[in-house]
Every structure is written in C-alpha cells, then in structure tokens.
C-alpha cells in the first residue's frame, strides 16, 4: 500500500508544478506585453524623445559619479562630469528646439521672453563688472580703473560665465508654469471628451503620445534644475583653476600691457620679455613672465626720458 506521506509529497510536488506553470505563463505574458509596449513607444519616438532619454541617462551617470566621488573623497573624473553637464545642456537645447509642442507654448510668450532677455542683457554686465574689477585688482594690487581696456575684456569674460546660470534659472522659472498649464490642459474636459470618441487603439496611441510628452517636459525640468545647481559649482572650479587664471592674466597683458621695459628705463631690472603700462606719471605696472602662460605683476618706478625717476613707495 502507498503511504500517506508519499501521497502528500506527490500532491505538493504536482501543485508546485501547476503554480510554477501559471506563474511562468503570466510572467511571459507580462514580458510580451511590456516588450510590445516598448516597441509601440519606440515607433512613436522622435528626436525630442531621444534627447529626453539622453538627458535621463546623463542624469543617472552624474548621480553615479557623485556617489563614486563621495566614496573616494574626491572626484577623479572631474572633466568627465563637466562634459556630461555640457552634453545635458546641449541635449536640452536640441529637445526644446525640435519639440513642436514646447516650441508652440514658448512662442505664446515670446514678447515677454524678449523683454526678460533684454533686461538680462543689461543686468549681466553690471553683475559681471564687480567680478572683473576684483580679479584685476587681485592680479595687479592696483585699482581696476587704471586698466580700462582690461575692464571691458574681463566684463565680457565674466558675462560669458554668468549667462549659463542666468538662463538656467530663467528657464526653470519659465518652464514650471508652462508645465503646470500643459498638465491642466491634458486633464481637461475637452480632451477627455475627445478620448471618449476614439477607438481603443486610437485611445492607446494618444495615451502613449501623452506619456512621451510628459517625459519630455520632465527631462527639460530635470536638465534645468541640475544645470542651475551645477553651473555655479563648475564656474567656481573653473575660476579657481590655474589654467583659467593664466588665461585671465594673458588677457590682461594683451589688453593693457604694451610697452617694452625700455619705455620706463627698466631694462636692467626686468627681463626683455616683460611688458609695461604707465599708470601714473612716474609709476608703472610691470607684467613679468614666470612661465610660458603665467605672469607676475609688480609696481616699479618709471623713468620716462626727460622727466626723471621717482622712488616708488606703497603710498
């Protein structure tokens, strides 16, 4: 006779096989449904959708870099992070330009946008001027007003650094109300009524298009938010970098230091490659090369032929 234990074990075994078969069948149907849905979405994707996907991938990559940098107590991939931020901004611009729906919304407010951009064009140079003056004074230990040409050049450079931050904040302030308005329109009564008159297939296509539109809006918001946070960090790192400071010193010398040392009788004190600018009657600022791309600035007495020489003091 067959024991009770044998019957129970076989019953449990058979039940497990049945449950396994049912579970695998459902998973297979779900996977097929998901695969079909992804294929359907891919068929509807256009350039803005691929840009939104790229922004999402870059965003995840930046998060991974941040985690790695925190674990290593430093970022060994700093230039990679800068490149990813730049790629995200480029992808966002391409998305905004190629997305007809977003472009249509923005065009409704082009007059207001023009006024705001015009105001920024006037405001940014004023904000950049103190930064430019502080940098010139830090290099030369003199008043920045003594180097008017350099002031103009430095204001231009600082303005270029401020524009990405200003545009990111402005874009974020502009896109959020537009997104809320688009959300309200998407859930409006007119749209729901229109969907009710569609067939099941048409309704599904419309829902997929709405999903892709949502993803595009979210991608733009993520890119603007991240850039508004990342741009100040990138700018501060750039400004403090030795290579950028060398570039600024070179711009200062090129714009204001044009005289040879002989013009102030300094041939015996500084090398021939030094460049001089006479800032007062008997005082000169001298840019002395320390390497191929770096300078040291000193104040020295200027002995102008026919005028004489005066000892320079700190006053």
């Amino acid at each position: 006779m067959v024991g009770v234990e044998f019957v129970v074990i076989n019953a449990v075994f058979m039940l497990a096989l049945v449950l396994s078969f049912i579970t695998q069948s459902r998973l297979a149907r779900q996977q097929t449904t998901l695969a079909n849905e992804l294929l359907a979405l891919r068929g509807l994707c256009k350039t803005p959708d691929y840009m939104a996907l790229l922004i999402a991938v870059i965003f995840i990559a930046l998060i991974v870099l941040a985690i790695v940098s925190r674990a290593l107590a430093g970022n060994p991939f700093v230039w990679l992070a800068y490149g990813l931020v730049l790629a995200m901004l480029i992808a966002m611009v391409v998305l905004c330009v190629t997305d007809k729906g977003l472009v249509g919304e923005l065009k409704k407010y082009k007059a207001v946008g023009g006024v705001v951009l015009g105001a920024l064009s006037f405001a940014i140079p004023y904000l950049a001027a103190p930064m430019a003056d502080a940098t010139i004074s830090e290099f030369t230990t003199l008043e920045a007003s003594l180097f008017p040409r350099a002031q103009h050049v430095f204001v231009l450079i600082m303005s270029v650094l401020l524009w990405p931050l200003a545009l990111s904040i402005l874009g974020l302030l502009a896109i959020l109300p537009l997104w809320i308005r688009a959300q309200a329109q998407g859930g409006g009564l007119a749209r729901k009524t229109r969907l009710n008159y569609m067939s099941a297939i048409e309704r599904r296509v419309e829902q997929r298009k709405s999903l892709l539109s949502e993803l595009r809006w979210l991608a733009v918001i993520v890119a603007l938010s991240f850039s508004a946070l990342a741009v100040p960090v990138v700018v501060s790192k750039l400004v403090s970098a030795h290579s950028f400071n060398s570039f600024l010193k070179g711009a200062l010398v090129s714009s204001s230091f044009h005289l040879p040392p002989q013009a102030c009788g300094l041939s015996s004190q500084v090398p021939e490659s030094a460049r001089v600018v006479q800032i007062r009657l008997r005082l000169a600022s001298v840019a002395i090369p320390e390497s191929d791309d770096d300078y040291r600035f000193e104040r020295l007495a200027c002995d102008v032929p026919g005028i004489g020489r005066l000892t320079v003091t700190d006053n």
Side-chain angles (χ1 to χ4, degrees):
M1 294 181 65
V2 179
V4 176
E5 296 84 357
F6 179 79
V7 174
V8 172
I9 291 173
N10 280 277
V12 172
F13 180 70
M14 293 300 295
L15 180 60
L17 284 177
V18 172
L19 291 175
S20 175
F21 177 76
I22 294 173
T23 302
Q24 290 179 11
S25 298
R26 289 186 175 181
L27 287 175
R29 284 198 298 270
Q30 290 177 357
Q31 289 176 356
T32 303
T33 303
L34 179 60
N36 291 337
E37 188 67 22
L38 291 175
L39 287 174
L41 286 172
R42 182 181 176 184
L44 295 173
C45 284
K46 297 180 180 179
T47 300
D49 303 302
Y50 290 117
M51 292 299 103
L53 177 61
L54 178 60
I55 289 172
V57 172
I58 293 174
F59 181 69
I60 294 172
L62 287 170
I63 292 176
V64 172
L65 278 179
I67 295 173
V68 172
S69 300
R70 190 171 184 83
L72 297 177
N75 188 359
F77 313 106
V78 59
W79 290 110
L80 176 60
Y82 293 162
L84 289 175
V85 172
L86 179 60
M88 177 182 283
L89 292 176
I90 294 173
M92 182 197 65
V93 171
V94 174
L95 190 159
C96 292
V97 171
T98 55
D99 187 353
K100 294 181 180 179
L102 187 56
V103 171
E105 287 292 328
L106 292 175
K107 282 184 177 180
K108 296 177 182 178
Y109 304 95
K110 62 180 181 180
V112 177
V115 172
V116 174
L117 288 176
L120 276 179
S121 299
F122 283 102
I124 285 180
Y126 285 102
L127 296 174
M131 297 171 60
D133 289 352
T135 305
I136 294 172
S137 297
E138 181 183 352
F139 289 157
T140 63
T141 67
L142 292 165
E143 301 92 338
S145 58
L146 296 171
F147 309 92
R149 291 191 182 89
Q151 278 184 307
H152 295 309
V153 174
F154 275 52
V155 166
L156 176 61
I157 295 172
M158 299 304 171
S159 297
V160 171
L161 296 179
L162 286 176
W163 264 109
L165 176 60
L167 290 177
S168 297
I169 296 175
L170 175 63
L172 191 59
L173 293 176
I175 208 71
L176 285 175
L178 291 179
W179 178 61
I180 294 172
R181 184 171 179 270
Q183 285 288 101
Q185 289 178 345
L189 181 61
R191 184 176 181 275
K192 291 181 179 179
T193 303
R194 185 166 60 87
L195 288 175
N196 290 333
Y197 284 98
M198 293 181 177
S199 65
I201 296 177
E202 292 174 336
R203 191 181 302 116
R204 191 61 187 149
V205 171
E206 190 68 21
Q207 290 172 347
R208 289 168 183 150
K209 289 181 178 179
S210 178
L211 174 62
L212 291 174
S213 177
E214 286 294 316
L215 293 176
R216 292 195 295 269
W217 280 96
L218 289 175
V220 173
I221 292 173
V222 167
L224 287 172
S225 301
F226 194 87
S227 60
L229 295 173
V231 167
V233 177
V234 173
V235 170
S236 64
K237 293 286 186 181
L238 179 64
V239 170
S240 61
H242 174 74
S243 58
F244 187 74
N245 275 270
S246 298
F247 165 74
L248 291 178
K249 290 178 181 179
L252 174 59
V253 173
S254 299
S255 60
S256 298
F257 290 74
H258 301 141
L259 296 174
Q262 295 89 335
C264 282
L266 299 173
S267 300
S268 60
Q269 300 183 53
V270 296
E272 289 296 319
S273 57
R275 285 295 172 264
V276 177
V277 57
Q278 186 180 0
I279 54 177
R280 294 191 180 95
L281 179 61
R282 294 176 178 174
L283 181 63
S285 180
V286 185
I288 303 172
E290 289 194 323
S291 63
D292 292 339
D293 58 354
D294 199 9
Y295 291 88
R296 182 180 79 255
F297 296 90
E298 292 185 4
R299 289 181 292 175
L300 297 173
C302 182
D303 184 12
V304 180
I307 296 180
R309 190 179 190 128
L310 182 68
T311 303
V312 178
T313 63
D314 292 336
N315 297 325

